Amino acid sequence: MLRPIMVCMLVALLGGCGGETASAPARPTPAPRIAIVVSTLNNPWFVVLANTARAEAQRHGYTATIFDSQNDPAKETAHFENIVASGYRAVLFDATDAKGSVLNATHASRAGVPVFTMDREIDSRDAAVSQVISDNYAGAEEVGEYFVQQVGEHGRYVELLGLVGDNNTWNRSRGFHSVVDRYPGLHMVAQQSADFDRSRALDIMESVLQAHPDIQAVFCGNDAMALGAYQALLGAGRAQDVKVFGFDGSQDAIRAIAESKMSATAMQYPQVMAATAAEFADRYLRGDRKLPRRVAVAVDLVTSRNAASLRQ
Amino acid sequence: MTYRLALTSALVVVLLIVFPPFHIRRIDGHAGGVANDHAASADVAHSAARFWDVSLTTQQVHPTDWLVLIEALQEDPVQGSGRYGRRPAIGGPWFYLLSGEARVVSIDARGLWLGGGAGLGDWRVLLQTGPIFGSALRDATGLLRLEDFSSFDFNELGAQLNRLSETRVGAVLRRDARVGSQLEFVAAGRLDSVSGDGHTLLLAPIRVTLK
């Protein structure tokens, strides 16, 4: 006799026992939010990275907001303070500085907001749950091998580096040199940073050409700089006899390779990195704690052999 | 008044010593280049030597017969790679741990070109003795993982293993191997992505016995 009453009481406790209890109209639960912090949106490559991350986060059921650090660590720090205070569930993070950005990631992690880096690595084993990075070293190694094939085992060349605080800059440089430095007849006559910036690369290349008019090649840490260097070579009347090598696989560079203006680049896959980081964040938020701490995404060599097929 | 001035001056001097307004530092960095403080750690060479001695050159690794791999790749490159290879990077190249017997059919600056009979088809296989690039030695066994290292250290580990192969195995082959030599080998392999023909296999030697 008591059993139906007890069952009814239990059900009532859990949410109602039939009847016509007045309840407020069900409000849709707002989707959890994910923040996407990117180093800059002033470069189409990072726009693709950010937009893909947002689309993938939305596909997994999150609301996503993009924060642009404008290559400024102080702005990045302000974004992280805002993100932590605003109740975001996770951060998909493209850092401004491998060392300097660790503090921001640590701050978020300690506040219970897990961080997933994409593209740019930070120098920490535990500030981020997972780091999805391009295999820059392997890509630059392949560019280096092709460089030796094209330039030969003797010659003089210039290297334009990206941002010196970015690990990608040095992994590309070291991968390239791991090959080229094995040929003692290849001499680097200048190595300068142009901050991944096309117009800076143009200016620097103009100066370098005045000091070293006899170079045979230039290796650049990204395609924007390679195209800036090409512009300087064009202005100096050297575009035909100085080979230009880049990195990124931008459509402008692929077009330049197909038109024999550049020799090669290494194609990165920002969409894959962003999608992987978003997937990892979703898995983590659903309880998966077996994510890899670091994972590499492949980079492919682009030369005149395959440039035409990669043009969009 | 003079006493107060002297006391103030002394205080200023003490403060300047304790809190110097600037520091004089030596500027380092290689000539003509940009200083790079993003270096690999010093013990990578030791880790590479240990991995070579303890894991690669002992019986802890189980290579596939090279002709079995090539036959599988000829039939179906995707299935063959998936069955016999390892691919640590998302969308990246496959790496293979291989062994076998072969005959040296030609020698050039890059290494020994191997013949293995009709089973090779139009495949070309180079046992490298010149500079070795890539990460086949690091990645073919699956025993080393990026997540256990910084990217700098992991990349340097691959480079150090390549150097060990060149100095410990390649040097002997350069000295002793001849066209027509028969050999047994264990090696880490990858397809030659720079040639891009899809059927040139580059082998980084681990153990080689000339017969």
Side-chain angles (χ1 to χ4, degrees):
Chain A
M1 181 64 196
L2 279 176
R3 187 173 289 171
I5 296 170
M6 286 178 68
V7 168
C8 202
M9 284 171 66
L10 185 62
V11 172
L13 279 171
L14 291 172
C17 182
E20 296 188 0
T21 50
S23 59
R27 275 190 300 181
T29 311
R33 293 187 298 168
I34 281 185
I36 297 156
V37 182
V38 288
S39 55
T40 178
L41 289 176
N42 193 26
N43 177 329
W45 195 94
F46 291 99
V47 174
V48 171
L49 185 79
N51 286 343
T52 308
R54 179 169 57 189
E56 288 296 314
Q58 288 168 344
R59 194 172 66 79
H60 288 294
Y62 301 91
T63 300
T65 310
I66 296 173
F67 296 82
D68 177 7
S69 301
Q70 298 173 23
N71 278 329
D72 180 351
K75 284 195 172 71
E76 183 183 280
T77 301
H79 289 327
F80 268 82
E81 283 169 3
N82 180 11
I83 287 161
V84 168
S86 305
Y88 282 87
R89 297 285 307 279
V91 183
L92 308 183
F93 184 31
D94 168 61
T96 55
D97 188 285
K99 295 183 191 305
S101 297
V102 172
L103 272 179
N104 292 330
T106 303
H107 172 53
S109 296
R110 287 187 180 160
V113 185
V115 175
F116 302 82
T117 71
M118 46 187 185
D119 176 43
R120 288 185 176 174
E121 185 183 22
I122 56 173
D123 288 344
S124 170
R125 285 177 65 83
D126 51 11
V129 171
S130 192
Q131 301 206 45
V132 184
I133 57 180
S134 260
D135 199 347
N136 288 287
Y137 186 96
E141 239 181 345
E142 289 193 2
V143 172
E145 287 185 68
Y146 190 68
F147 181 100
V148 175
Q149 271 189 13
Q150 295 298 303
V151 177
E153 295 185 15
H154 295 85
R156 294 159 70 82
Y157 70 94
V158 172
E159 180 183 10
L160 297 185
L161 296 162
L163 293 162
V164 294
D166 177 18
N167 284 6
N168 291 350
T169 294
W170 295 110
N171 272 329
R172 290 171 198 174
S173 180
R174 290 163 72 89
F176 175 74
H177 284 286
S178 74
V179 176
V180 174
D181 291 359
R182 303 298 303 277
Y183 299 90
L186 288 169
H187 295 287
M188 181 174 71
V189 296
Q191 181 194 48
Q192 290 199 39
S193 168
D195 295 339
F196 290 135
D197 184 84
R198 181 172 179 155
S199 57
R200 277 186 62 76
L202 167 64
D203 292 344
I204 289 170
M205 198 63 200
E206 283 174 348
S207 304
V208 167
L209 280 169
Q210 287 177 4
H212 304 285
D214 56 345
I215 59 166
Q216 283 88 53
V218 53
F219 170 65
C220 303
N222 79 347
D223 286 340
M225 294 192 293
L227 292 164
Y230 175 78
Q231 220 172 323
L233 291 164
L234 199 62
R238 299 291 314 282
Q240 293 297 315
D241 52 283
V242 177
K243 297 183 188 311
V244 180
F245 299 80
F247 203 101
D248 270 351
S250 72
Q251 278 301 310
D252 285 347
I254 291 169
R255 195 174 306 116
I257 292 166
E259 294 168 358
S260 301
K261 294 173 180 170
M262 275 177 60
S263 293
T265 186
M267 177 171 262
Q268 297 194 84
Y269 297 96
Q271 295 97 330
V272 176
M273 282 187 278
T276 307
E279 183 201 325
F280 283 2
D282 179 52
R283 282 168 54 186
Y284 185 85
L285 292 173
R286 291 176 191 278
D288 186 348
R289 295 294 182 270
K290 291 183 177 171
L291 297 166
R293 286 217 169 270
R294 279 192 176 82
V295 65
V297 173
V299 173
D300 290 324
L301 182 67
V302 181
T303 67
S304 56
R305 177 173 51 82
N306 57 352
S309 65
L310 295 168
R311 281 178 75 165
Q312 290 173 353
Chain B
M1 184 67 186
T2 311
Y3 173 73
R4 184 177 287 179
L5 186 65
L7 192 66
T8 307
S9 301
L11 191 64
V12 167
V13 168
V14 169
L15 284 171
L16 284 173
I17 292 170
V18 177
F19 303 108
F22 58 87
H23 296 269
I24 296 173
R25 276 198 323 193
R26 182 190 175 92
I27 298 173
D28 286 322
H30 53 89
V34 178
N36 169 15
D37 63 344
H38 297 241
S41 38
D43 59 355
V44 171
H46 174 74
S47 300
R50 186 172 162 75
F51 179 69
W52 182 277
D53 292 334
V54 175
S55 300
L56 270 186
T57 50
T58 62
Q59 304 306 315
Q60 288 187 24
V61 293
H62 304 286
T64 301
D65 186 281
W66 68 309
L67 295 174
V68 169
L69 171 74
I70 289 173
E71 188 182 344
L73 293 177
Q74 285 170 334
E75 277 178 19
D76 185 332
V78 176
Q79 275 205 348
S81 292
R83 182 165 182 193
Y84 298 113
R86 288 191 174 80
R87 180 156 72 164
I90 297 172
W94 291 90
F95 299 103
Y96 314 96
L97 191 66
L98 301 169
S99 65
E101 293 186 22
R103 188 174 63 85
V104 178
V105 294
S106 67
I107 299 176
D108 65 20
R110 298 175 69 194
L112 318 175
W113 292 93
L114 303 183
L120 278 182
D122 60 351
W123 279 69
R124 288 156 46 82
V125 181
L126 177 69
L127 191 63
Q128 296 169 288
T129 59
I132 296 173
F133 307 120
S135 58
L137 286 163
R138 184 192 67 194
D139 293 333
T141 62
L143 297 173
L144 296 171
R145 301 180 310 168
L146 170 61
E147 61 184 296
D148 297 325
F149 300 86
S150 75
S151 63
F152 290 127
D153 285 354
F154 199 55
N155 293 331
E156 185 59 24
L157 192 55
Q160 292 285 346
L161 289 169
N162 290 344
R163 289 299 182 97
L164 288 172
S165 175
E166 289 172 19
T167 54
R168 295 191 183 183
V169 190
V172 176
L173 291 176
R174 277 196 302 278
R175 187 189 66 206
D176 296 341
R178 302 284 181 271
V179 172
S181 295
Q182 292 283 338
L183 52 79
E184 278 182 15
F185 67 86
V186 176
R190 66 177 170 108
L191 292 183
D192 183 357
S193 53
V194 176
S195 80
D197 62 10
H199 48 255
T200 299
L201 192 58
L202 302 178
L203 302 179
I206 297 167
R207 290 197 305 265
V208 179
T209 308
L210 285 167
K211 291 183 169 177

